[in-house]
Amino acid sequence: DRCYYIGSQNLYIANLAEWGIVVDDEAQAQAVLEQYWRGCWASSYEHVPEELRDAKVEEVLSKLDIDRHPRMHHDFTEEELEQVLLTKKSARMGAPGNTLRVWVKRASHLADADGPFCGGSDSYVVIRVVDRAGHVVGITERTRVINNGGPNPVWNEQFTFEGLQTPASYTLKLNVWDKDSFLGLPGQLADWAVADDHLGTAEVNLELLRNTTDFQDFEPTVSKGWFQDSKLVIALNTDGLWGC
């Protein structure tokens, strides 16, 4: 026993927030066991005559009137499903609107914008959500630069876009760039002296996303090549609150 939780846990469907904290301290967890829980157990069971012990789990649970055999999705009414949705939204503690989580994993076969004998590309990705008119929705995110990452850089970074009103009508745009500096010199002045090279743009139509809490994998094309295309490897998550 290395940690414990203090707070509320609703055993019923309700539009209520559940607040609590996790105490991640083995010594404190052992202290709580010794000073509280083991004393409760001793007083309620170990030191009680056998004929008076009330530790029949099945009998106790049966009296709680809790359905331990949950229904399938198609067994719920529309009103009950709406209540479940409200409960799931409240568990996010008031985060505004719908969210989209973007996991930028890696790229493959990126072009070498620096040319031979200049090292591999120092690539990074700029991530935006845009509406049908091409306007940026919310914030713009950017991965770190992978110095000399070559054609197959790995970022493995996650970003969250909040407050998306109609996410299924939006498009995720990922622009891949090669970070350049003047004569390869370090520092901001060297960065300002030359523009970064654009390696390509990948897109994902968000109406393709399913309504699930699982990450959904995509490999959008960054640019076309003579022998093979440059691709990004990403995963997207709707937190199970929107999608088809």
Side-chain angles (χ1 to χ4, degrees):
D1 298 297
R2 300 172 57 184
C3 63
Y4 61 97
Y5 171 81
I6 301 176
S8 64
Q9 177 62 57
N10 297 322
L11 296 178
Y12 50 88
I13 296 178
N15 188 22
L16 300 173
E18 296 179 352
W19 300 96
I21 60 172
V22 174
V23 180
D24 186 9
D25 185 284
E26 186 172 0
Q28 184 61 31
Q30 291 299 320
V32 170
L33 278 175
E34 292 294 335
Q35 299 172 18
Y36 182 75
W37 285 114
R38 285 175 181 156
C40 289
W41 177 247
S43 299
S44 62
Y45 185 80
E46 290 182 347
H47 298 166
V48 177
E50 185 173 355
E51 65 274 11
L52 298 178
R53 290 177 180 174
D54 183 14
K56 299 176 182 178
V57 177
E58 293 298 330
E59 183 178 339
V60 172
L61 289 176
S62 66
K63 292 180 179 179
L64 293 177
D65 194 26
I66 295 177
D67 184 4
R68 301 175 66 194
H69 304 283
R71 293 174 291 171
M72 301 300 291
H73 182 275
H74 54 74
D75 294 327
F76 286 86
T77 65
E78 290 186 3
E79 183 177 354
E80 289 173 327
L81 289 174
E82 180 66 16
Q83 185 62 56
V84 172
L85 178 61
L86 290 174
T87 303
K88 291 172 67 177
K89 287 184 176 180
S90 68
R92 297 171 60 244
M93 295 182 288
N98 297 300
T99 62
L100 172 69
R101 286 194 283 156
V102 180
W103 183 359
V104 181
K105 298 182 180 180
R106 60 187 182 276
S108 61
H109 310 301
L110 290 182
D112 184 1
D114 294 334
F117 313 113
C118 294
S121 295
D122 306 320
S123 51
Y124 64 94
V125 183
V126 176
I127 309 119
R128 297 183 178 91
V129 175
V130 300
D131 60 19
R132 288 174 176 167
H135 300 138
V136 176
V137 179
I139 61 175
T140 296
E141 294 283 10
R142 170 179 151 166
T143 68
R144 68 187 188 280
V145 176
I146 305 298
N147 294 317
N148 294 320
N152 305 306
V154 176
W155 293 280
N156 200 29
E157 295 182 60
Q158 291 191 26
F159 306 91
T160 300
F161 294 85
E162 297 181 336
L164 305 179
Q165 298 302 315
T166 56
S169 67
Y170 300 153
T171 299
L172 180 69
K173 287 186 176 290
L174 306 106
N175 287 279
V176 185
W177 295 84
D178 171 33
K179 184 70 174 177
D180 283 337
S181 62
F182 183 65
L183 298 178
L185 298 175
Q188 290 186 338
L189 287 176
D191 291 339
W192 292 336
V194 63
D196 293 347
D197 296 316
H198 187 218
L199 302 181
T201 300
E203 297 184 0
V204 176
N205 190 336
L206 297 185
E207 70 176 0
L208 300 175
L209 293 181
R210 304 187 310 277
N211 188 338
T212 175
T213 57
D214 297 330
F215 272 98
Q216 302 166 59
D217 295 321
F218 292 88
E219 293 190 16
T221 298
V222 175
S223 63
K224 297 288 186 179
W226 287 102
F227 301 104
Q228 53 193 350
D229 297 338
S230 301
K231 292 182 178 292
L232 278 176
V233 179
I234 65 173
L236 306 178
N237 194 318
T238 68
D239 285 335
L241 295 177
W242 61 274
C244 59

